[in-house]
Amino acid sequence: ATAKASERYARIVDAGGWPTLPGAVGPGSTGKGVAALRKRLQVEGDTLEAVAAGETWDDQLAAAVKHFQARNGLKQTGVVSGATLRAINVPARVRFKQLASSSQRLAGINFPFGDRYVVVNIPSAAVETIENGRIVRRYVAVVGDVDHQSPEVETKISAVNLNPTWTVPTSIIKNEIIPKMRRDPGYLTRAKIRILDGRGAQIDPASVDWSTERAVNYTLRQDSGVGNSLGSIRIQMNNKHAVYMHDTPSKGYFGRDYRFLSHGCVRVQGVYDLAAWLLEGSGNWDRTALMARIGKDREDLRLARPVPVIWVYMTGWASADGTVHFADDVY
């Protein structure tokens, strides 16, 4: 589908591309800006119904704008301004190159697509569950920031961890924990992060010299609970990058347009539903049953049949029905 979309956009480029909008337009707008918007949306196929030419705004044009916004991962306001105006004015040649690049990447993937699998597309900050070739559910996600990029990964999901603890990576100890402890010696205690030596014995934070980097020699582990950085659920997927998908106590991040905010792992909105889907056939683990165990002891629920998962980096792609999607190249 992406290869076919690439060919279609090549033809659009050869035909002269699409018009550029001079400024914002929306309900109540009239004139050449509205006429240019109508032509612009028709070229890319966002006018799902017959939209007549003209210089006045109407409900059909607003619906076409919302369709464009949905394809580009934007809030569906039906108004062309801000991020939507910038996306509208991306040249057709740029969009063609995005699709061509993704098509080449996909051709080189040797991923075991099966009846059920999970796709994380990093630029769109989204997670999709696929069943029998159909997207069952799309989840909003938070992915790695520019300095801690989420890697491309191909592996299998083997278990769902309830009430997980969090072992702090060495890089975070060095770059974040140590500076915080120098400013605020009570930080670890409030965050319920324990310091453990090589034998697993707990160390008093006051005994560590925080003016040095000695703390990187210890294991720092955050207790499970409301404030745990992984939230209540961790999706276990073994890989050399030690990344995974998980819940988060910072739910507000999911409402942002810019969701490149993590240290490389992927936070998933609606992770309970994702976990229940993964656990189908592995016991009676629906959303209600999972939530009933939250706040109790750590529990590892193994999948009866591991589910393939792939993290990809595609700024342009097409879904099976031919709908073409784009996302910004943040990395």
Side-chain angles (χ1 to χ4, degrees):
T2 300
K4 288 181 179 178
S6 174
E7 294 169 1
R8 179 163 73 87
Y9 277 69
R11 292 193 293 271
I12 292 174
V13 172
D14 292 342
W18 47 60
T20 299
L21 269 64
V25 287
S29 296
T30 59
K32 293 182 179 179
V34 173
L37 174 61
R38 288 179 180 277
K39 184 177 179 180
R40 166 69 180 85
L41 294 174
Q42 285 171 345
V43 170
E44 210 173 356
D46 286 295
T47 49
L48 302 180
E49 300 180 26
V51 177
E55 297 186 351
T56 58
W57 189 274
D58 59 28
D59 290 342
Q60 287 182 332
L61 183 57
V65 170
K66 289 182 180 180
H67 185 261
F68 173 88
Q69 290 170 326
R71 293 191 305 104
N72 286 268
L74 301 166
K75 290 182 179 178
Q76 297 178 46
T77 62
V79 176
V80 178
S81 63
T84 299
L85 180 61
R86 290 192 294 273
I88 283 273
N89 284 335
V90 172
R93 184 171 297 277
V94 172
R95 294 309 196 196
F96 159 69
K97 289 181 178 178
Q98 288 178 273
L99 289 167
S101 174
S102 293
S103 181
Q104 291 174 351
R105 283 174 181 246
L106 288 167
I109 289 175
N110 187 27
F111 180 69
F113 295 101
D115 296 339
R116 306 173 87 239
Y117 59 93
V118 176
V119 177
V120 176
N121 189 30
I122 298 163
S124 62
V127 177
E128 293 178 346
T129 52
I130 315 296
E131 192 163 5
N132 298 320
R134 184 176 62 88
I135 298 173
V136 177
R137 179 79 182 270
R138 180 178 289 114
Y139 302 89
V140 172
V142 171
V143 300
D145 62 31
V146 175
D147 295 325
H148 307 89
Q149 299 180 7
S150 294
E152 293 187 90
V153 174
E154 295 179 39
T155 185
K156 291 185 177 181
I157 296 169
S158 57
V160 171
N161 311 131
L162 302 183
N163 308 306
T165 58
W166 178 50
T167 300
V168 185
T170 300
S171 60
I172 295 181
I173 296 174
K174 181 178 180 180
N175 298 322
E176 299 182 28
I177 299 293
I178 291 176
K180 283 182 179 178
M181 287 299 289
R182 289 171 181 170
R183 298 190 303 269
D184 178 9
Y187 168 73
L188 287 181
T189 301
R190 290 198 310 278
K192 296 185 178 180
I193 297 177
R194 303 174 188 272
I195 305 177
L196 308 174
D197 64 16
R199 299 186 303 276
Q202 188 169 332
I203 302 295
D204 185 347
S207 68
V208 177
D209 185 355
W210 296 101
S211 65
T212 69
E213 294 187 352
R214 181 186 168 200
V216 299
N217 298 318
Y218 294 108
T219 296
L220 271 64
R221 184 167 296 148
Q222 188 177 39
D223 294 342
S224 62
V226 176
N228 186 278
S229 295
L230 304 186
S232 300
I233 292 182
R234 174 182 181 269
I235 307 298
Q236 183 174 313
M237 41 177 280
N238 296 335
N239 61 92
K240 66 179 181 180
H241 303 283
V243 293
Y244 41 84
M245 295 178 285
H246 63 89
D247 184 21
T248 176
S250 304
K251 302 291 195 288
Y253 288 161
F254 294 125
R256 300 186 182 184
D257 285 331
Y258 187 89
R259 299 192 301 280
F260 298 81
L261 303 164
S262 82
H263 283 79
C265 289
V266 173
R267 308 171 192 174
V268 184
Q269 185 179 40
V271 71
Y272 290 96
D273 294 322
L274 172 59
W277 182 82
L278 291 168
L279 287 164
E280 287 179 10
S282 305
N284 298 318
W285 292 111
D286 59 11
R287 177 189 174 92
T288 302
L290 290 171
M291 293 191 70
R293 306 297 268 270
I294 299 305
K296 303 183 185 301
D297 293 336
R298 173 176 171 136
E299 194 169 358
D300 298 328
L301 308 177
R302 299 203 66 80
L303 274 59
R305 181 183 174 193
V307 175
V309 57
I310 183 168
W311 293 15
V312 294
Y313 195 92
M314 296 191 299
T315 59
W317 70 99
S319 48
D321 64 0
T323 302
V324 181
H325 307 263
F326 294 105
D328 291 337
D329 185 4
V330 174
Y331 293 171

